[in-house]
Amino acid sequence: MNIKELIDERLWKEIKRNYLNEQYSNAVLDGIQFIGDLIREMSGEDGDGYNLIGQVFNTKNPKIKVNRFRTQTEKNVQDGIRLLLQGFYRAIRNERVHEKKTDSEQEAYELLLFLNHILRIIDKSKGKFTIENTLRRVFDENFLPREEYAEHIIKEIPPTKKYEVAVEVFRSRKKSNRMSDLSVFWNQLLSDLKQKETGDLRNEISNALRYSEEAMDVTTIVFLVGNDWKNLDHDARLRAENLLIRSLPTFLSDDPMDGPQAFQYAGISNAVKQLYVRDFMELKEEFAEKIYTLFKKTSGVLTEYVISVFGNLLKELEKFTISDSLDVLIREKLKSGNRQLITFLDQYYPADKASELKLHLPVDDVDPFDDMDDDLPF
């Protein structure tokens, strides 16, 4: 009798040692323990034995449905499986746990085949939870970034598996093309974790920040964790900020053969900006100095990059830098005939101050319509 060929390899793995050593009663108990663990994993219940089976396979609010559970016949089958398992626990398991029971190979063979049959029923059960299936739904291209949709997925995760799912989502984060969508699920899931689980997850994230060498990877973490960034380990946050700031471009060109393009830095730039705007950033001086250094360069593409991405922050960053004041830098650029700053001045400066600075443009570069009277009779 080669039972290995007749039962699921997962069940064989659990019973193999005792079965080959001819400890047949212990092999049966190993099989029962495996089935119980699987039921707990799928249902999220922490019970055991007779009571566990009653909680999970009941016909009022079953945690595991062995069929569609719609017709009376299907409900009867559900209840039958419950009775079979409860009877198995009382008649088979308890006798081997509480009394000295020695099974023959034939007896063990028959009992293990029954457990294998139950395993196949559970594997085909409705609403079966697996981490793989959950990840497939989370990273689905058609994932709907709404809290209620995320909640539907989370409700199917057993409470004892939510932390494990969170860890796997974090480790698989690079699979997402829309971090804003993923963060919707992430925030909903985090609110369901226990305090210790949240702390362990933050340790996992902090370690990733400590050793990541890729700015884009750090960027995905910034967008994923959102407001929870401030709760990560201090040293990990400092290193991540420094990596992002140093990864901002030092050179840009319009020519794709000549150097990196601004769009390549969009994610990194927005991540740095988010940290600053949310007041999570601690390396404000380093950030300000980097932006002002870029702004002082003569490259038109680099100037456009700075004012389009960080324009609304330039005046505020002035207090964190030892560079020349923003007004001084603008005057110098205007004197050189740089007209890129006109729109910037109109958007972020008071009208009188903007007009004053525009006077530094060379006379030939002054827009003849700037001072035209708007009250024309037509």
Short mmCIF file of all heavy atoms in Angstrom, two decimals, residues 210-234:
data_model
loop_
_atom_site.label_atom_id
_atom_site.label_comp_id
_atom_site.label_asym_id
_atom_site.label_seq_id
_atom_site.Cartn_x
_atom_site.Cartn_y
_atom_site.Cartn_z
N ARG A 210 16.83 51.48 4.71
CA ARG A 210 18.23 51.50 5.15
C ARG A 210 19.18 50.97 4.09
O ARG A 210 20.33 51.40 4.02
CB ARG A 210 18.41 50.65 6.42
CG ARG A 210 17.87 51.29 7.69
CD ARG A 210 18.25 50.48 8.91
NE ARG A 210 17.72 51.10 10.11
CZ ARG A 210 16.59 50.71 10.71
NH1 ARG A 210 15.91 49.69 10.22
NH2 ARG A 210 16.17 51.33 11.79
N TYR A 211 18.71 50.05 3.27
CA TYR A 211 19.63 49.36 2.36
C TYR A 211 19.31 49.55 0.88
O TYR A 211 20.07 49.08 0.04
CB TYR A 211 19.65 47.87 2.71
CG TYR A 211 20.09 47.62 4.14
CD1 TYR A 211 19.17 47.20 5.11
CD2 TYR A 211 21.40 47.84 4.53
CE1 TYR A 211 19.56 47.00 6.42
CE2 TYR A 211 21.80 47.64 5.84
CZ TYR A 211 20.88 47.22 6.79
OH TYR A 211 21.27 47.03 8.09
N SER A 212 18.22 50.21 0.57
CA SER A 212 17.89 50.41 -0.85
C SER A 212 18.89 51.35 -1.50
O SER A 212 19.28 52.37 -0.93
CB SER A 212 16.48 50.99 -0.99
OG SER A 212 16.19 51.22 -2.35
N GLU A 213 19.31 51.01 -2.71
CA GLU A 213 20.24 51.84 -3.47
C GLU A 213 19.54 52.55 -4.62
O GLU A 213 20.17 53.32 -5.34
CB GLU A 213 21.40 50.98 -4.02
CG GLU A 213 22.26 50.33 -2.94
CD GLU A 213 23.03 51.35 -2.11
OE1 GLU A 213 23.26 52.46 -2.62
OE2 GLU A 213 23.39 51.04 -0.96
N GLU A 214 18.25 52.31 -4.79
CA GLU A 214 17.51 52.87 -5.92
C GLU A 214 16.58 53.98 -5.47
O GLU A 214 15.71 53.76 -4.63
CB GLU A 214 16.69 51.77 -6.61
CG GLU A 214 17.52 50.61 -7.12
CD GLU A 214 16.63 49.52 -7.71
OE1 GLU A 214 15.45 49.79 -7.96
OE2 GLU A 214 17.14 48.41 -7.91
N ALA A 215 16.78 55.16 -6.04
CA ALA A 215 15.91 56.29 -5.69
C ALA A 215 14.46 56.01 -6.04
O ALA A 215 13.55 56.40 -5.29
CB ALA A 215 16.39 57.55 -6.40
N MET A 216 14.22 55.32 -7.15
CA MET A 216 12.84 55.04 -7.54
C MET A 216 12.17 54.07 -6.58
O MET A 216 10.97 54.13 -6.36
CB MET A 216 12.80 54.49 -8.96
CG MET A 216 13.01 55.54 -10.05
SD MET A 216 11.87 56.96 -9.88
CE MET A 216 10.28 56.15 -10.06
N ASP A 217 12.95 53.17 -5.99
CA ASP A 217 12.39 52.26 -4.99
C ASP A 217 11.98 53.03 -3.75
O ASP A 217 10.90 52.82 -3.19
CB ASP A 217 13.41 51.18 -4.62
CG ASP A 217 12.84 50.17 -3.64
OD1 ASP A 217 11.65 49.84 -3.76
OD2 ASP A 217 13.59 49.72 -2.76
N VAL A 218 12.83 53.95 -3.30
CA VAL A 218 12.49 54.80 -2.16
C VAL A 218 11.25 55.63 -2.48
O VAL A 218 10.38 55.85 -1.63
CB VAL A 218 13.68 55.71 -1.79
CG1 VAL A 218 13.28 56.69 -0.68
CG2 VAL A 218 14.86 54.87 -1.32
N THR A 219 11.16 56.09 -3.73
CA THR A 219 10.02 56.87 -4.16
C THR A 219 8.71 56.07 -4.01
O THR A 219 7.70 56.60 -3.52
CB THR A 219 10.19 57.28 -5.64
OG1 THR A 219 11.31 58.17 -5.73
CG2 THR A 219 8.96 57.99 -6.16
N THR A 220 8.73 54.80 -4.41
CA THR A 220 7.51 53.98 -4.27
C THR A 220 7.11 53.86 -2.81
O THR A 220 5.92 53.86 -2.48
CB THR A 220 7.72 52.57 -4.86
OG1 THR A 220 8.74 51.88 -4.13
CG2 THR A 220 8.10 52.63 -6.32
N ILE A 221 8.10 53.77 -1.92
CA ILE A 221 7.79 53.65 -0.49
C ILE A 221 7.18 54.94 0.04
O ILE A 221 6.22 54.91 0.82
CB ILE A 221 9.06 53.27 0.30
CG1 ILE A 221 9.57 51.90 -0.14
CG2 ILE A 221 8.79 53.29 1.80
CD1 ILE A 221 10.88 51.48 0.49
N VAL A 222 7.71 56.08 -0.39
CA VAL A 222 7.17 57.38 0.04
C VAL A 222 5.70 57.48 -0.32
O VAL A 222 4.85 57.85 0.51
CB VAL A 222 7.95 58.53 -0.60
CG1 VAL A 222 7.25 59.87 -0.35
CG2 VAL A 222 9.37 58.59 -0.05
N PHE A 223 5.36 57.14 -1.56
CA PHE A 223 3.97 57.26 -2.01
C PHE A 223 3.08 56.19 -1.38
O PHE A 223 1.90 56.42 -1.15
CB PHE A 223 3.90 57.17 -3.54
CG PHE A 223 4.46 58.38 -4.23
CD1 PHE A 223 5.41 58.25 -5.23
CD2 PHE A 223 4.05 59.65 -3.88
CE1 PHE A 223 5.93 59.37 -5.87
CE2 PHE A 223 4.56 60.78 -4.51
CZ PHE A 223 5.50 60.63 -5.50
N LEU A 224 3.65 55.01 -1.09
CA LEU A 224 2.85 53.94 -0.52
C LEU A 224 2.48 54.23 0.93
O LEU A 224 1.31 54.12 1.31
CB LEU A 224 3.61 52.61 -0.60
CG LEU A 224 2.90 51.40 0.01
CD1 LEU A 224 1.60 51.11 -0.74
CD2 LEU A 224 3.81 50.18 -0.02
N VAL A 225 3.45 54.60 1.76
CA VAL A 225 3.18 54.73 3.20
C VAL A 225 2.50 56.04 3.56
O VAL A 225 1.85 56.15 4.60
CB VAL A 225 4.48 54.56 4.03
CG1 VAL A 225 5.13 53.23 3.73
CG2 VAL A 225 5.46 55.71 3.78
N GLY A 226 2.63 57.06 2.71
CA GLY A 226 1.92 58.32 2.96
C GLY A 226 2.23 58.92 4.32
O GLY A 226 3.39 59.09 4.70
N ASN A 227 1.21 59.20 5.09
CA ASN A 227 1.37 59.87 6.38
C ASN A 227 2.07 59.01 7.43
O ASN A 227 2.52 59.53 8.46
CB ASN A 227 0.02 60.32 6.92
CG ASN A 227 -0.57 61.47 6.12
OD1 ASN A 227 0.15 62.26 5.51
ND2 ASN A 227 -1.88 61.57 6.10
N ASP A 228 2.18 57.73 7.17
CA ASP A 228 2.85 56.86 8.15
C ASP A 228 4.37 57.00 8.07
O ASP A 228 5.09 56.42 8.89
CB ASP A 228 2.46 55.39 7.91
CG ASP A 228 2.68 54.53 9.14
OD1 ASP A 228 2.30 54.96 10.25
OD2 ASP A 228 3.27 53.44 9.00
N TRP A 229 4.85 57.78 7.11
CA TRP A 229 6.29 58.01 6.97
C TRP A 229 6.90 58.49 8.28
O TRP A 229 7.99 58.06 8.67
CB TRP A 229 6.54 59.02 5.85
CG TRP A 229 7.98 59.39 5.65
CD1 TRP A 229 8.67 60.42 6.24
CD2 TRP A 229 8.92 58.72 4.80
NE1 TRP A 229 9.97 60.43 5.82
CE2 TRP A 229 10.15 59.41 4.92
CE3 TRP A 229 8.83 57.63 3.94
CZ2 TRP A 229 11.28 59.02 4.22
CZ3 TRP A 229 9.97 57.24 3.24
CH2 TRP A 229 11.18 57.94 3.39
N LYS A 230 6.22 59.36 8.97
CA LYS A 230 6.75 59.96 10.19
C LYS A 230 6.93 58.93 11.31
O LYS A 230 7.63 59.20 12.30
CB LYS A 230 5.84 61.09 10.67
CG LYS A 230 4.41 60.66 11.02
CD LYS A 230 3.57 61.85 11.41
CE LYS A 230 2.12 61.43 11.74
NZ LYS A 230 1.44 60.89 10.56
N ASN A 231 6.32 57.76 11.17
CA ASN A 231 6.43 56.73 12.21
C ASN A 231 7.52 55.71 11.92
O ASN A 231 7.72 54.78 12.71
CB ASN A 231 5.08 56.00 12.35
CG ASN A 231 3.98 56.92 12.85
OD1 ASN A 231 4.18 57.69 13.77
ND2 ASN A 231 2.82 56.83 12.23
N LEU A 232 8.23 55.86 10.80
CA LEU A 232 9.32 54.95 10.48
C LEU A 232 10.56 55.34 11.27
O LEU A 232 10.64 56.43 11.83
CB LEU A 232 9.61 54.99 8.97
CG LEU A 232 8.43 54.64 8.06
CD1 LEU A 232 8.84 54.77 6.60
CD2 LEU A 232 7.91 53.23 8.35
N ASP A 233 11.55 54.45 11.31
CA ASP A 233 12.75 54.70 12.10
C ASP A 233 13.48 55.94 11.59
O ASP A 233 13.61 56.16 10.37
CB ASP A 233 13.69 53.49 12.04
CG ASP A 233 13.12 52.30 12.80
OD1 ASP A 233 12.13 52.49 13.54
OD2 ASP A 233 13.67 51.19 12.66
N HIS A 234 13.99 56.74 12.53
CA HIS A 234 14.60 58.03 12.21
C HIS A 234 15.78 57.90 11.26
O HIS A 234 15.90 58.63 10.28
CB HIS A 234 15.03 58.71 13.51
CG HIS A 234 15.48 60.12 13.32
ND1 HIS A 234 16.64 60.61 13.83
CD2 HIS A 234 14.91 61.15 12.65
CE1 HIS A 234 16.78 61.88 13.50
NE2 HIS A 234 15.73 62.23 12.78
#
